[in-house]
Amino acid sequence: MFNILFKKTFNKKLTINLTATLLLVSQISLAQTSTTIEQVSNSVGGTKSNIDSIKSDGKSQRTLAFKGMNRTEVTLARQQKEKNLASTSSTSSSSQSVVYSSSFYHSFSIYTGYSQLITDIDEDGYYQTFSVVFDADLLSPMANEQAVVYADLYLSQNGGPWVLYFSTDDFVITGENTDDEFEVVTELDSGYVPDYYDVLIDLYEVGYSDVVATYSSNDSNELYALPLESSDYDPEYIEVEYVEVEYYEKHSGGGIWLLFGALLVLGVRLIKLK
């Protein structure tokens, strides 16, 4: 009788200790991983009329140069880059400065901007794929005047800093024409925890170092508090088949199932992290 009681007490303590250890290890692993995890996304951008024919993975030189940097860092880096280019061109050729001399007389605005939520595999209300559409205008007394521009797109997690996730290629806008609306479709691959994200768009004219127009969640609720998460937090639904466990419960007690539950929790967390 003593041996039976001893075995039961020992097994119960062993189960509790193992469960506590597994949960502690899983929390430490998650804490360590969260500090090193990188935010990865892929985007494709183009005018709405031809975006379906454009193939891009968001790895253009312009995007790679500053992706992941905050807005202040990007602005300063772009200004320094333009200064270096201007210095180089002034020593090699004077024609470049003539081409862009009209930049100082242009006035720009972003007339509208909105978002669309696209893919939510686990149907938890957070989307891994979304798009942003904006209409940049050139304000000029000359009808149908054109300018070559590009845009930086930022995400802010729950009111945090603006972080660059995509820079467009150069594109042409014509006056206040609505046919040159630009769309960026983005898939968040990893590192974006389920949360609410705001969007900001900075517009540049090619050859001009400062931002010429800005549009963000402050201008439209369509860019405010987008429920987003990366694909590593958006797993496919897997149906679980339940079986009768009465026999095992009677002969093994509840301890083994507590241990099994802890192992299952740890396994699910590790799968999500991968």
Side-chain angles (χ1 to χ4, degrees):
M1 182 67 178
F2 175 80
N3 289 337
I4 295 176
L5 290 174
F6 176 79
K7 288 181 179 180
K8 287 185 176 180
T9 303
F10 178 79
N11 289 336
K12 184 176 181 180
K13 288 184 177 179
L14 179 61
T15 301
I16 293 174
N17 289 336
L18 284 174
T19 302
T21 302
L22 286 170
L23 291 176
L24 179 60
V25 170
S26 66
Q27 290 175 355
I28 293 174
S29 299
L30 285 171
Q32 291 176 340
T33 305
S34 63
T35 60
T36 59
I37 195 166
E38 180 185 4
Q39 291 182 328
V40 180
S41 64
N42 289 309
S43 303
V44 56
T47 55
K48 291 199 69 175
S49 59
N50 67 348
I51 188 172
D52 292 336
S53 63
I54 298 175
K55 302 297 180 183
S56 172
D57 58 3
K59 296 180 180 179
S60 67
Q61 290 301 312
R62 179 174 285 158
T63 295
L64 289 177
F66 307 120
K67 187 174 183 179
M69 295 171 60
N70 66 53
R71 190 184 182 207
T72 301
E73 294 172 336
V74 172
T75 301
L76 293 175
R78 291 216 181 282
Q79 290 175 348
Q80 185 59 49
K81 184 177 180 180
E82 291 296 339
K83 287 180 181 178
N84 294 340
L85 289 175
S87 176
T88 302
S89 62
S90 63
T91 58
S92 60
S93 173
S94 60
S95 60
Q96 187 72 10
S97 60
V98 174
V99 172
Y100 292 120
S101 62
S102 61
S103 299
F104 296 96
Y105 303 100
H106 285 165
S107 180
F108 296 86
S109 72
I110 297 179
Y111 177 70
T112 187
Y114 61 92
S115 63
Q116 294 177 307
L117 300 172
I118 301 173
T119 305
D120 175 19
I121 294 178
D122 61 5
E123 298 182 351
D124 64 349
Y126 293 92
Y127 291 74
Q128 63 167 282
T129 308
F130 69 104
S131 71
V132 172
V133 180
F134 61 95
D135 178 22
D137 288 338
L138 170 61
L139 308 179
S140 172
M142 298 176 58
N144 298 321
E145 185 177 5
Q146 295 184 323
V148 182
V149 298
Y150 64 92
D152 286 341
L153 280 76
Y154 296 84
L155 285 176
S156 168
Q157 180 184 345
N158 198 23
W162 294 108
V163 178
L164 181 72
Y165 73 92
F166 185 66
S167 297
T168 73
D169 291 330
D170 298 346
F171 62 99
V172 177
I173 59 174
T174 304
E176 300 178 47
N177 197 325
T178 59
D179 293 336
D180 52 17
E181 273 191 342
F182 200 91
E183 181 174 15
V184 176
V185 180
T186 300
E187 181 176 357
L188 304 177
D189 294 331
S190 63
Y192 290 86
V193 299
D195 210 335
Y196 294 95
Y197 296 79
D198 300 340
V199 176
L200 179 144
I201 306 160
D202 275 343
L203 186 72
Y204 290 83
E205 183 178 12
V206 172
Y208 189 47
S209 61
D210 291 330
V211 176
V212 296
T214 296
Y215 198 88
S216 71
S217 52
N218 292 330
D219 302 293
S220 172
N221 287 333
E222 294 286 340
L223 301 179
Y224 173 73
L226 306 186
L228 303 176
E229 65 182 359
S230 47
S231 58
D232 52 342
Y233 291 95
D234 192 27
E236 292 187 25
Y237 174 76
I238 301 177
E239 185 175 357
V240 178
E241 182 178 354
Y242 293 92
V243 296
E244 294 292 335
V245 295
E246 292 183 2
Y247 174 82
Y248 298 100
E249 288 179 346
K250 289 179 180 178
H251 292 79
S252 302
I256 189 65
W257 293 106
L258 181 61
L259 176 60
F260 177 77
L263 290 171
L264 182 61
V265 169
L266 178 59
V268 170
R269 289 186 175 182
L270 290 176
I271 290 173
K272 286 188 174 182
L273 286 175
K274 292 181 180 178

